[in-house]
Amino acid sequence: MMSQFSKKLIQFYQISLLFVMICTLGTILYFWKLGFIDGSRSKNLHKASYIVESYQKKANLDEIYLNVINENPRMAIEKAKAIESDFAKVNSEIEVKGYQELKDDIQKLKISAANLISFSKVGKVINVFNLKMNKFYDYVKLNRWRTLDRMSKRVFSQTKGHINSSKLNSLVQNVDRDFETMIKVTESSVLSRKDKSEIISRITNLQIEIQMLKKYADEIKFFKQLNQQANKSLAGWIKNISPEITLQKLQIEQIGKYYVMGLMGILFALTLVFFCSFIVNKFFLRRAQDKFEAYIEGYLADQMLASKSLV
């Protein structure tokens, strides 16, 4: 009878302990999955917040554009990849509307920058042009063609010295317009057909470098448009993700409170089981004692009846 009591008591403790273990394990797994116990969630959120804030403060994607303007498209591509990686880290933590559009715009920037790699350096093209232009100037000066002499000097004044890439498009337009004027002046002049043909041939040869610069300027202009669109996408994405990051930080703080409450709940459950063990122990002990006394009384009564029957 006492062994049966011990068995029930042990079963009670086993079940209670198993229940507490399951609750504890569930609580730990829940908070671990949220990245709270190991601190990874909070750490990643702070990293994401830092990245977003850094792009709010600095000149957005203009670093890519500046590398392109400075004729360093390879560095622009590397910078675009680094920025793309930063945004991917943020998106892996929090997904909001506008990220895919931003990602596509940065990809377009990389493609455009890659196209610029195939172009020769502006300074090199200008140097070749000036050498050819110098020969043309000597040629018209030798023949004393005043109008062409004057217009050649005008072209020289635009192509000598440092050429600002941001003003390259206007330079190309001005020089190309001057060449067209020179061709018209030559065609309407009283020069011989041979001289006209020679002049036009030389000007056409000069236009090769100008056309190269024009293609480069067009690509730069196109890149600038892409950069402006990417900056707009970035501004929209930051507008969407900034409040979400703030909300996630607040949730992390709330989770901390829930975690503490969970641990307190487990402690309370353990304490409850501990004190209940005394009550349960007393209950089963009293019950077993009552049964044992009843058994003894019954046994004695049976013995007494048996003794009387013998007498």
mmCIF file of all heavy atoms in Angstrom, residues 270-305:
data_model
loop_
_atom_site.group_PDB
_atom_site.id
_atom_site.type_symbol
_atom_site.label_atom_id
_atom_site.label_comp_id
_atom_site.label_asym_id
_atom_site.label_seq_id
_atom_site.Cartn_x
_atom_site.Cartn_y
_atom_site.Cartn_z
ATOM 1 N N LEU A 270 7.800 26.660 -10.741
ATOM 2 C CA LEU A 270 8.669 25.802 -9.932
ATOM 3 C C LEU A 270 8.366 25.949 -8.440
ATOM 4 O O LEU A 270 8.340 24.964 -7.692
ATOM 5 C CB LEU A 270 10.140 26.146 -10.209
ATOM 6 C CG LEU A 270 10.681 25.743 -11.591
ATOM 7 C CD1 LEU A 270 12.073 26.305 -11.794
ATOM 8 C CD2 LEU A 270 10.697 24.216 -11.726
ATOM 9 N N THR A 271 8.163 27.206 -8.037
ATOM 10 C CA THR A 271 7.833 27.463 -6.629
ATOM 11 C C THR A 271 6.506 26.805 -6.250
ATOM 12 O O THR A 271 6.360 26.214 -5.171
ATOM 13 C CB THR A 271 7.753 28.983 -6.374
ATOM 14 O OG1 THR A 271 8.979 29.593 -6.762
ATOM 15 C CG2 THR A 271 7.505 29.276 -4.901
ATOM 16 N N LEU A 272 5.534 26.914 -7.159
ATOM 17 C CA LEU A 272 4.217 26.322 -6.919
ATOM 18 C C LEU A 272 4.308 24.807 -6.790
ATOM 19 O O LEU A 272 3.694 24.195 -5.902
ATOM 20 C CB LEU A 272 3.273 26.711 -8.063
ATOM 21 C CG LEU A 272 1.808 26.286 -7.913
ATOM 22 C CD1 LEU A 272 1.184 26.976 -6.695
ATOM 23 C CD2 LEU A 272 1.017 26.633 -9.169
ATOM 24 N N VAL A 273 5.102 24.209 -7.704
ATOM 25 C CA VAL A 273 5.278 22.749 -7.642
ATOM 26 C C VAL A 273 5.947 22.344 -6.332
ATOM 27 O O VAL A 273 5.594 21.331 -5.720
ATOM 28 C CB VAL A 273 6.113 22.268 -8.851
ATOM 29 C CG1 VAL A 273 6.517 20.805 -8.679
ATOM 30 C CG2 VAL A 273 5.315 22.442 -10.137
ATOM 31 N N PHE A 274 6.923 23.169 -5.925
ATOM 32 C CA PHE A 274 7.645 22.861 -4.683
ATOM 33 C C PHE A 274 6.708 22.838 -3.479
ATOM 34 O O PHE A 274 6.712 21.904 -2.681
ATOM 35 C CB PHE A 274 8.749 23.897 -4.487
ATOM 36 C CG PHE A 274 9.505 23.731 -3.208
ATOM 37 C CD1 PHE A 274 10.434 22.702 -3.047
ATOM 38 C CD2 PHE A 274 9.284 24.590 -2.133
ATOM 39 C CE1 PHE A 274 11.128 22.540 -1.854
ATOM 40 C CE2 PHE A 274 9.971 24.442 -0.943
ATOM 41 C CZ PHE A 274 10.902 23.415 -0.799
ATOM 42 N N PHE A 275 5.883 23.887 -3.346
ATOM 43 C CA PHE A 275 4.979 23.960 -2.203
ATOM 44 C C PHE A 275 3.828 22.971 -2.324
ATOM 45 O O PHE A 275 3.342 22.429 -1.320
ATOM 46 C CB PHE A 275 4.438 25.383 -2.045
ATOM 47 C CG PHE A 275 5.440 26.338 -1.455
ATOM 48 C CD1 PHE A 275 6.054 27.299 -2.239
ATOM 49 C CD2 PHE A 275 5.793 26.273 -0.103
ATOM 50 C CE1 PHE A 275 6.981 28.170 -1.695
ATOM 51 C CE2 PHE A 275 6.724 27.136 0.441
ATOM 52 C CZ PHE A 275 7.325 28.099 -0.353
ATOM 53 N N CYS A 276 3.399 22.739 -3.564
ATOM 54 C CA CYS A 276 2.319 21.776 -3.759
ATOM 55 C C CYS A 276 2.762 20.368 -3.382
ATOM 56 O O CYS A 276 1.944 19.512 -3.010
ATOM 57 C CB CYS A 276 1.853 21.786 -5.210
ATOM 58 S SG CYS A 276 0.801 23.206 -5.614
ATOM 59 N N SER A 277 4.072 20.143 -3.525
ATOM 60 C CA SER A 277 4.572 18.807 -3.195
ATOM 61 C C SER A 277 4.300 18.470 -1.729
ATOM 62 O O SER A 277 4.009 17.315 -1.388
ATOM 63 C CB SER A 277 6.074 18.728 -3.497
ATOM 64 O OG SER A 277 6.802 19.613 -2.646
ATOM 65 N N PHE A 278 4.406 19.479 -0.863
ATOM 66 C CA PHE A 278 4.122 19.240 0.547
ATOM 67 C C PHE A 278 2.645 18.908 0.763
ATOM 68 O O PHE A 278 2.281 18.011 1.538
ATOM 69 C CB PHE A 278 4.506 20.466 1.391
ATOM 70 C CG PHE A 278 5.980 20.712 1.438
ATOM 71 C CD1 PHE A 278 6.555 21.676 0.625
ATOM 72 C CD2 PHE A 278 6.810 19.975 2.285
ATOM 73 C CE1 PHE A 278 7.926 21.910 0.666
ATOM 74 C CE2 PHE A 278 8.164 20.203 2.333
ATOM 75 C CZ PHE A 278 8.738 21.174 1.517
ATOM 76 N N ILE A 279 1.793 19.657 0.091
ATOM 77 C CA ILE A 279 0.345 19.433 0.234
ATOM 78 C C ILE A 279 -0.034 18.062 -0.301
ATOM 79 O O ILE A 279 -0.793 17.297 0.325
ATOM 80 C CB ILE A 279 -0.437 20.532 -0.497
ATOM 81 C CG1 ILE A 279 -0.105 21.906 0.110
ATOM 82 C CG2 ILE A 279 -1.927 20.263 -0.444
ATOM 83 C CD1 ILE A 279 -0.722 23.069 -0.633
ATOM 84 N N VAL A 280 0.512 17.750 -1.520
ATOM 85 C CA VAL A 280 0.199 16.459 -2.137
ATOM 86 C C VAL A 280 0.744 15.311 -1.286
ATOM 87 O O VAL A 280 0.087 14.279 -1.090
ATOM 88 C CB VAL A 280 0.791 16.405 -3.568
ATOM 89 C CG1 VAL A 280 0.645 14.992 -4.146
ATOM 90 C CG2 VAL A 280 0.102 17.425 -4.451
ATOM 91 N N ASN A 281 1.974 15.552 -0.795
ATOM 92 C CA ASN A 281 2.588 14.525 0.048
ATOM 93 C C ASN A 281 1.742 14.259 1.305
ATOM 94 O O ASN A 281 1.502 13.108 1.699
ATOM 95 C CB ASN A 281 3.997 14.974 0.423
ATOM 96 C CG ASN A 281 4.721 13.916 1.240
ATOM 97 O OD1 ASN A 281 4.727 12.743 0.873
ATOM 98 N ND2 ASN A 281 5.310 14.329 2.352
ATOM 99 N N LYS A 282 1.280 15.341 1.919
ATOM 100 C CA LYS A 282 0.446 15.226 3.122
ATOM 101 C C LYS A 282 -0.876 14.554 2.807
ATOM 102 O O LYS A 282 -1.376 13.718 3.579
ATOM 103 C CB LYS A 282 0.207 16.620 3.695
ATOM 104 C CG LYS A 282 -0.543 16.607 5.024
ATOM 105 C CD LYS A 282 -0.676 18.021 5.576
ATOM 106 C CE LYS A 282 -1.424 18.003 6.915
ATOM 107 N NZ LYS A 282 -1.558 19.378 7.467
ATOM 108 N N PHE A 283 -1.439 14.909 1.624
ATOM 109 C CA PHE A 283 -2.725 14.342 1.227
ATOM 110 C C PHE A 283 -2.611 12.838 1.021
ATOM 111 O O PHE A 283 -3.399 12.047 1.563
ATOM 112 C CB PHE A 283 -3.213 15.032 -0.043
ATOM 113 C CG PHE A 283 -4.415 14.387 -0.656
ATOM 114 C CD1 PHE A 283 -5.691 14.579 -0.116
ATOM 115 C CD2 PHE A 283 -4.281 13.559 -1.768
ATOM 116 C CE1 PHE A 283 -6.797 13.969 -0.681
ATOM 117 C CE2 PHE A 283 -5.397 12.943 -2.330
ATOM 118 C CZ PHE A 283 -6.648 13.155 -1.794
ATOM 119 N N PHE A 284 -1.617 12.438 0.233
ATOM 120 C CA PHE A 284 -1.472 11.015 -0.052
ATOM 121 C C PHE A 284 -1.049 10.236 1.191
ATOM 122 O O PHE A 284 -1.450 9.070 1.385
ATOM 123 C CB PHE A 284 -0.451 10.804 -1.182
ATOM 124 C CG PHE A 284 -1.027 11.025 -2.548
ATOM 125 C CD1 PHE A 284 -0.705 12.164 -3.278
ATOM 126 C CD2 PHE A 284 -1.892 10.092 -3.115
ATOM 127 C CE1 PHE A 284 -1.235 12.360 -4.536
ATOM 128 C CE2 PHE A 284 -2.418 10.289 -4.382
ATOM 129 C CZ PHE A 284 -2.100 11.432 -5.099
ATOM 130 N N LEU A 285 -0.234 10.886 2.017
ATOM 131 C CA LEU A 285 0.189 10.217 3.241
ATOM 132 C C LEU A 285 -1.003 9.977 4.181
ATOM 133 O O LEU A 285 -1.162 8.897 4.763
ATOM 134 C CB LEU A 285 1.259 11.060 3.945
ATOM 135 C CG LEU A 285 1.918 10.432 5.174
ATOM 136 C CD1 LEU A 285 2.628 9.125 4.798
ATOM 137 C CD2 LEU A 285 2.885 11.395 5.831
ATOM 138 N N ARG A 286 -1.861 10.993 4.325
ATOM 139 C CA ARG A 286 -3.053 10.880 5.166
ATOM 140 C C ARG A 286 -4.007 9.820 4.609
ATOM 141 O O ARG A 286 -4.577 9.000 5.364
ATOM 142 C CB ARG A 286 -3.750 12.234 5.242
ATOM 143 C CG ARG A 286 -5.009 12.241 6.082
ATOM 144 C CD ARG A 286 -4.682 11.887 7.541
ATOM 145 N NE ARG A 286 -5.854 11.888 8.374
ATOM 146 C CZ ARG A 286 -6.350 12.991 8.973
ATOM 147 N NH1 ARG A 286 -5.729 14.147 8.836
ATOM 148 N NH2 ARG A 286 -7.418 12.900 9.741
ATOM 149 N N ARG A 287 -4.130 9.834 3.287
ATOM 150 C CA ARG A 287 -5.024 8.871 2.643
ATOM 151 C C ARG A 287 -4.509 7.447 2.832
ATOM 152 O O ARG A 287 -5.284 6.509 3.120
ATOM 153 C CB ARG A 287 -5.142 9.211 1.165
ATOM 154 C CG ARG A 287 -6.169 8.375 0.422
ATOM 155 C CD ARG A 287 -6.277 8.843 -1.017
ATOM 156 N NE ARG A 287 -7.221 8.016 -1.748
ATOM 157 C CZ ARG A 287 -7.474 8.136 -3.051
ATOM 158 N NH1 ARG A 287 -6.854 9.106 -3.730
ATOM 159 N NH2 ARG A 287 -8.332 7.339 -3.656
ATOM 160 N N ALA A 288 -3.184 7.322 2.653
ATOM 161 C CA ALA A 288 -2.597 5.986 2.823
ATOM 162 C C ALA A 288 -2.717 5.524 4.273
ATOM 163 O O ALA A 288 -2.960 4.336 4.555
ATOM 164 C CB ALA A 288 -1.132 6.017 2.407
ATOM 165 N N GLN A 289 -2.546 6.473 5.208
ATOM 166 C CA GLN A 289 -2.649 6.154 6.627
ATOM 167 C C GLN A 289 -4.062 5.709 6.987
ATOM 168 O O GLN A 289 -4.264 4.744 7.734
ATOM 169 C CB GLN A 289 -2.224 7.357 7.469
ATOM 170 C CG GLN A 289 -2.097 7.058 8.951
ATOM 171 C CD GLN A 289 -1.569 8.255 9.737
ATOM 172 O OE1 GLN A 289 -1.362 9.320 9.174
ATOM 173 N NE2 GLN A 289 -1.378 8.049 11.037
ATOM 174 N N ASP A 290 -5.073 6.414 6.448
ATOM 175 C CA ASP A 290 -6.472 6.051 6.701
ATOM 176 C C ASP A 290 -6.769 4.642 6.189
ATOM 177 O O ASP A 290 -7.454 3.840 6.849
ATOM 178 C CB ASP A 290 -7.412 7.053 6.053
ATOM 179 C CG ASP A 290 -7.345 8.417 6.743
ATOM 180 O OD1 ASP A 290 -6.858 8.483 7.899
ATOM 181 O OD2 ASP A 290 -7.781 9.426 6.124
ATOM 182 N N LYS A 291 -6.252 4.358 4.990
ATOM 183 C CA LYS A 291 -6.476 3.038 4.411
ATOM 184 C C LYS A 291 -5.777 1.955 5.238
ATOM 185 O O LYS A 291 -6.307 0.850 5.424
ATOM 186 C CB LYS A 291 -5.989 3.010 2.967
ATOM 187 C CG LYS A 291 -6.864 3.787 2.001
ATOM 188 C CD LYS A 291 -6.355 3.638 0.563
ATOM 189 C CE LYS A 291 -7.274 4.371 -0.418
ATOM 190 N NZ LYS A 291 -6.803 4.231 -1.811
ATOM 191 N N PHE A 292 -4.581 2.343 5.689
ATOM 192 C CA PHE A 292 -3.825 1.368 6.491
ATOM 193 C C PHE A 292 -4.548 1.075 7.824
ATOM 194 O O PHE A 292 -4.641 -0.072 8.248
ATOM 195 C CB PHE A 292 -2.415 1.910 6.750
ATOM 196 C CG PHE A 292 -1.557 0.965 7.537
ATOM 197 C CD1 PHE A 292 -1.069 -0.210 6.963
ATOM 198 C CD2 PHE A 292 -1.235 1.235 8.866
ATOM 199 C CE1 PHE A 292 -0.278 -1.074 7.684
ATOM 200 C CE2 PHE A 292 -0.442 0.370 9.593
ATOM 201 C CZ PHE A 292 0.045 -0.795 9.014
ATOM 202 N N GLU A 293 -5.064 2.122 8.464
ATOM 203 C CA GLU A 293 -5.810 1.954 9.718
ATOM 204 C C GLU A 293 -7.080 1.134 9.501
ATOM 205 O O GLU A 293 -7.436 0.281 10.326
ATOM 206 C CB GLU A 293 -6.148 3.325 10.306
ATOM 207 C CG GLU A 293 -4.932 4.077 10.840
ATOM 208 C CD GLU A 293 -5.281 5.470 11.341
ATOM 209 O OE1 GLU A 293 -6.466 5.870 11.165
ATOM 210 O OE2 GLU A 293 -4.395 6.165 11.876
ATOM 211 N N ALA A 294 -7.760 1.448 8.364
ATOM 212 C CA ALA A 294 -8.972 0.688 8.051
ATOM 213 C C ALA A 294 -8.644 -0.787 7.827
ATOM 214 O O ALA A 294 -9.391 -1.700 8.237
ATOM 215 C CB ALA A 294 -9.645 1.275 6.823
ATOM 216 N N TYR A 295 -7.488 -1.002 7.187
ATOM 217 C CA TYR A 295 -7.054 -2.383 6.921
ATOM 218 C C TYR A 295 -6.762 -3.108 8.232
ATOM 219 O O TYR A 295 -7.154 -4.278 8.436
ATOM 220 C CB TYR A 295 -5.814 -2.354 6.031
ATOM 221 C CG TYR A 295 -5.163 -3.711 5.878
ATOM 222 C CD1 TYR A 295 -5.721 -4.686 5.037
ATOM 223 C CD2 TYR A 295 -4.006 -4.021 6.590
ATOM 224 C CE1 TYR A 295 -5.135 -5.929 4.919
ATOM 225 C CE2 TYR A 295 -3.409 -5.260 6.467
ATOM 226 C CZ TYR A 295 -3.976 -6.226 5.629
ATOM 227 O OH TYR A 295 -3.378 -7.466 5.511
ATOM 228 N N ILE A 296 -6.079 -2.391 9.169
ATOM 229 C CA ILE A 296 -5.732 -2.987 10.469
ATOM 230 C C ILE A 296 -7.005 -3.301 11.266
ATOM 231 O O ILE A 296 -7.146 -4.380 11.883
ATOM 232 C CB ILE A 296 -4.810 -2.056 11.274
ATOM 233 C CG1 ILE A 296 -3.452 -1.927 10.592
ATOM 234 C CG2 ILE A 296 -4.621 -2.561 12.713
ATOM 235 C CD1 ILE A 296 -2.702 -3.231 10.469
ATOM 236 N N GLU A 297 -7.930 -2.349 11.256
ATOM 237 C CA GLU A 297 -9.190 -2.545 11.974
ATOM 238 C C GLU A 297 -9.954 -3.743 11.415
ATOM 239 O O GLU A 297 -10.515 -4.566 12.156
ATOM 240 C CB GLU A 297 -10.046 -1.286 11.898
ATOM 241 C CG GLU A 297 -9.484 -0.122 12.716
ATOM 242 C CD GLU A 297 -10.310 1.137 12.553
ATOM 243 O OE1 GLU A 297 -11.266 1.126 11.742
ATOM 244 O OE2 GLU A 297 -9.998 2.154 13.208
ATOM 245 N N GLY A 298 -9.989 -3.819 10.106
ATOM 246 C CA GLY A 298 -10.682 -4.948 9.481
ATOM 247 C C GLY A 298 -10.011 -6.276 9.804
ATOM 248 O O GLY A 298 -10.668 -7.302 10.029
ATOM 249 N N TYR A 299 -8.699 -6.236 9.780
ATOM 250 C CA TYR A 299 -7.929 -7.456 10.068
ATOM 251 C C TYR A 299 -8.151 -7.920 11.515
ATOM 252 O O TYR A 299 -8.352 -9.117 11.782
ATOM 253 C CB TYR A 299 -6.448 -7.180 9.831
ATOM 254 C CG TYR A 299 -5.543 -8.337 10.178
ATOM 255 C CD1 TYR A 299 -5.460 -9.436 9.316
ATOM 256 C CD2 TYR A 299 -4.827 -8.356 11.374
ATOM 257 C CE1 TYR A 299 -4.645 -10.508 9.648
ATOM 258 C CE2 TYR A 299 -4.011 -9.416 11.699
ATOM 259 C CZ TYR A 299 -3.908 -10.505 10.834
ATOM 260 O OH TYR A 299 -3.111 -11.574 11.172
ATOM 261 N N LEU A 300 -8.138 -6.959 12.478
ATOM 262 C CA LEU A 300 -8.359 -7.284 13.879
ATOM 263 C C LEU A 300 -9.782 -7.826 14.103
ATOM 264 O O LEU A 300 -10.005 -8.769 14.896
ATOM 265 C CB LEU A 300 -8.116 -6.070 14.774
ATOM 266 C CG LEU A 300 -6.656 -5.596 14.852
ATOM 267 C CD1 LEU A 300 -6.569 -4.293 15.659
ATOM 268 C CD2 LEU A 300 -5.791 -6.678 15.502
ATOM 269 N N ALA A 301 -10.752 -7.185 13.411
ATOM 270 C CA ALA A 301 -12.142 -7.641 13.541
ATOM 271 C C ALA A 301 -12.287 -9.070 13.044
ATOM 272 O O ALA A 301 -12.981 -9.894 13.656
ATOM 273 C CB ALA A 301 -13.048 -6.698 12.767
ATOM 274 N N ASP A 302 -11.600 -9.365 11.933
ATOM 275 C CA ASP A 302 -11.653 -10.717 11.377
ATOM 276 C C ASP A 302 -11.028 -11.729 12.334
ATOM 277 O O ASP A 302 -11.523 -12.862 12.506
ATOM 278 C CB ASP A 302 -10.934 -10.778 10.030
ATOM 279 C CG ASP A 302 -11.695 -10.000 8.968
ATOM 280 O OD1 ASP A 302 -12.912 -9.762 9.149
ATOM 281 O OD2 ASP A 302 -11.067 -9.617 7.929
ATOM 282 N N GLN A 303 -9.937 -11.310 12.976
ATOM 283 C CA GLN A 303 -9.250 -12.205 13.920
ATOM 284 C C GLN A 303 -10.124 -12.485 15.151
ATOM 285 O O GLN A 303 -10.159 -13.616 15.678
ATOM 286 C CB GLN A 303 -7.911 -11.582 14.350
ATOM 287 C CG GLN A 303 -6.861 -11.545 13.244
ATOM 288 C CD GLN A 303 -6.461 -12.937 12.783
ATOM 289 O OE1 GLN A 303 -6.362 -13.898 13.583
ATOM 290 N NE2 GLN A 303 -6.309 -13.080 11.457
ATOM 291 N N MET A 304 -10.801 -11.418 15.600
ATOM 292 C CA MET A 304 -11.665 -11.581 16.770
ATOM 293 C C MET A 304 -12.835 -12.511 16.451
ATOM 294 O O MET A 304 -13.219 -13.350 17.274
ATOM 295 C CB MET A 304 -12.179 -10.216 17.233
ATOM 296 C CG MET A 304 -11.094 -9.344 17.853
ATOM 297 S SD MET A 304 -11.701 -7.718 18.309
ATOM 298 C CE MET A 304 -12.861 -8.167 19.627
ATOM 299 N N LEU A 305 -13.400 -12.362 15.272
ATOM 300 C CA LEU A 305 -14.503 -13.238 14.893
ATOM 301 C C LEU A 305 -14.047 -14.686 14.761
ATOM 302 O O LEU A 305 -14.756 -15.640 15.137
ATOM 303 C CB LEU A 305 -15.113 -12.763 13.566
ATOM 304 C CG LEU A 305 -15.893 -11.439 13.612
ATOM 305 C CD1 LEU A 305 -16.298 -11.007 12.215
ATOM 306 C CD2 LEU A 305 -17.142 -11.634 14.481
#
